[in-house]
């Protein structure tokens, strides 16, 4: 993207930021993402991406695994088996009723692929990767004016990577783990010349990194509230006041010292 490194690109999965919780310049390892459930991927690059901050100088990527436009009930099961002990499975269920829509998706992936470490000395040691992803989406049309959407998402990834090894080499295994949970509730109220949208979302992110010489643990919580109004005065004049509030708390623990970071922000447009 525009010749810039991966640390200048923000990646969001169903609203979850996959970059480091305390350092947005952390690069995202796309090889650890399972895109079988993605309904669409949106890429924003250039000056427009700067709206998301300095970490998005290169681009912003939005991955959406929830397809809410399908109005047909269905069930789907997928399974795959490949070399290097690779196993993957997915289950998706959609239940469409007169005034409600429910969608549940779960995916699991396990693999012991070849190590990509540059420091390897020549044998076929492998990296172990495991991921578990789950979504649930509920939509209720309470009446002609009020609609409520609820979303819950959980993602867990674990990996054991060989940093050194092979004949004559020392064993050095790096273990990484991430658990991310997000929940959101949206209310959409409409009248003939008025529209209101209110969104409340919460996310929780936990990560750790461990090898024989260092240890690091990160955690962050974020709360976001959005409220927007839309008034149609006449055919040529529309008034759209809005208010956003975001609170985020992050903390890290590392083997060579402790530090914490905290951030709050409030704004309107």
């Amino acid at each position: 993207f525009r010749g810039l490194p991966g640390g200048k690109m923000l990646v969001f999965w169903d609203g979850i930021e996959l970059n480091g919780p305390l350092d947005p310049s952390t690069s995202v390892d796309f090889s650890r993402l399972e895109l079988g459930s993605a309904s669409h991927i949106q890429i924003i690059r250039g000056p427009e991406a700067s709206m998301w901050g300095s970490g998005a100088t290169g681009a912003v990527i939005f991955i959406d695994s929830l397809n809410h436009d399908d109005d047909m009930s269905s069930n789907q099961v997928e399974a795959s088996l490949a070399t290097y002990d690779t196993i993957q499975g997915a289950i998706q269920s959609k239940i469409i009723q007169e005034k409600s829509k429910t969608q549940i998706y779960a995916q699991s992936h396990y693999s012991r692929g070849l190590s990509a470490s540059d420091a390897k000395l020549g044998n076929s040691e492998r990296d172990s990767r495991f991921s578990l992803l789950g979504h649930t989406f509920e939509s209720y049309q309470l009446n002609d004016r009020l609609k409520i959407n609820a979303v819950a998402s959980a993602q867990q990834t674990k990996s054991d990577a060989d940093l050194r090894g092979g004949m004559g080499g020392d064993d050095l295994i790096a273990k990484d783990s991430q658990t991310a949970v997000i929940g959101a509730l949206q209310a959409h109220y409409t009248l003939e010349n008025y529209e209101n949208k209110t969104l409340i979302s919460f996310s929780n992110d936990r990560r750790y990194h461990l090898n024989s010489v260092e240890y690091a643990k990160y955690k962050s919580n974020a709360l976001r509230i959005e409220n927007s109004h839309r008034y149609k005065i006449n055919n040529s004049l529309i008034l759209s006041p809005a208010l956003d509030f975001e609170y985020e708390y992050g903390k890290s623990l590392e083997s060579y010292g402790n530090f914490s970071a905290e951030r709050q922000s409030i704004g309107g447009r």
Side-chain angles (χ1 to χ4, degrees):
F1 291 94
R2 304 169 63 202
L4 296 174
K8 295 297 183 181
M9 178 171 55
L10 288 183
V11 182
F12 292 87
W13 181 296
D14 286 339
I16 301 175
E17 183 178 336
L18 300 183
N19 301 71
L22 298 180
D23 184 5
S25 64
T26 304
S27 299
V28 174
D29 183 0
F30 283 93
S31 68
R32 301 182 186 276
L33 300 182
E34 304 303 330
L35 300 180
S37 65
S39 62
H40 71 271
I41 300 175
Q42 180 183 8
I43 300 175
I44 300 176
R45 57 183 179 179
E48 188 178 356
S50 62
M51 296 173 58
W52 280 265
S54 60
T57 308
V60 184
I61 297 180
F62 297 96
I63 303 172
D64 189 355
S65 64
L66 301 175
N67 185 1
H68 309 316
D69 299 329
D70 188 358
D71 292 329
M72 298 292 293
S73 298
S74 63
N75 295 299
Q76 180 176 316
V77 177
E78 296 181 3
S80 62
L81 189 64
T83 55
Y84 301 115
D85 301 331
T86 300
I87 303 172
Q88 180 170 304
I91 299 175
Q92 181 172 266
S93 179
K94 296 180 181 179
I95 303 173
I96 310 299
Q97 297 180 345
E98 182 178 357
K99 290 187 177 182
S100 66
K101 178 187 297 186
T102 302
Q103 178 173 312
I104 300 173
Y105 180 86
Q107 175 180 275
S108 178
H109 173 85
Y110 172 79
S111 177
R112 288 185 58 83
L114 290 175
S115 174
S117 173
D118 294 334
K120 287 186 58 58
L121 299 179
N123 73 352
S124 58
E125 295 181 9
R126 299 174 180 179
D127 296 341
S128 173
R129 299 181 180 183
F130 169 79
S131 66
L132 185 64
L133 176 67
H135 299 284
T136 177
F137 171 79
E138 300 267 349
S139 179
Y140 301 95
Q141 187 74 46
L142 297 182
N143 51 52
D144 294 338
R145 299 176 180 178
L146 181 60
K147 181 179 181 180
I148 295 179
N149 296 328
V151 178
S153 177
Q155 179 182 0
Q156 184 181 31
T157 59
K158 293 182 179 181
S159 66
D160 296 341
D162 295 320
L163 300 183
R164 292 180 295 181
M167 294 181 295
D170 297 328
D171 291 333
L172 179 59
I173 304 299
K175 297 180 181 293
D176 290 275
S177 174
Q178 176 190 2
T179 301
V181 178
I182 185 172
L185 186 66
Q186 182 190 59
H188 189 185
Y189 182 76
T190 57
L191 290 174
E192 182 178 0
N193 295 316
Y194 171 73
E195 181 179 9
N196 176 271
K197 291 183 179 180
T198 301
L199 173 67
I200 301 176
S201 62
F202 171 79
S203 63
N204 178 278
D205 197 318
R206 297 287 185 269
R207 311 183 187 200
Y208 80 82
H209 171 77
L210 173 67
N211 60 41
S212 61
V213 296
E214 63 181 356
Y215 170 80
K217 185 177 182 180
Y218 307 91
K219 64 179 180 179
S220 68
N221 299 294
L223 174 67
R224 183 172 179 83
I225 301 174
E226 302 177 24
N227 183 255
S228 62
H229 307 263
R230 187 174 184 270
Y231 301 91
K232 184 178 181 181
I233 308 301
N234 51 49
N235 292 331
S236 59
L237 181 60
I238 295 177
L239 181 64
S240 300
L243 176 66
D244 294 343
F245 171 79
E246 183 178 18
Y247 172 83
E248 181 177 356
Y249 173 77
K251 188 175 182 180
S252 71
L253 170 67
E254 301 187 11
S255 56
Y256 54 83
N258 303 331
F259 71 91
S260 62
E262 186 173 356
R263 183 184 72 183
Q264 311 91 18
S265 63
I266 185 171
R269 63 180 188 274

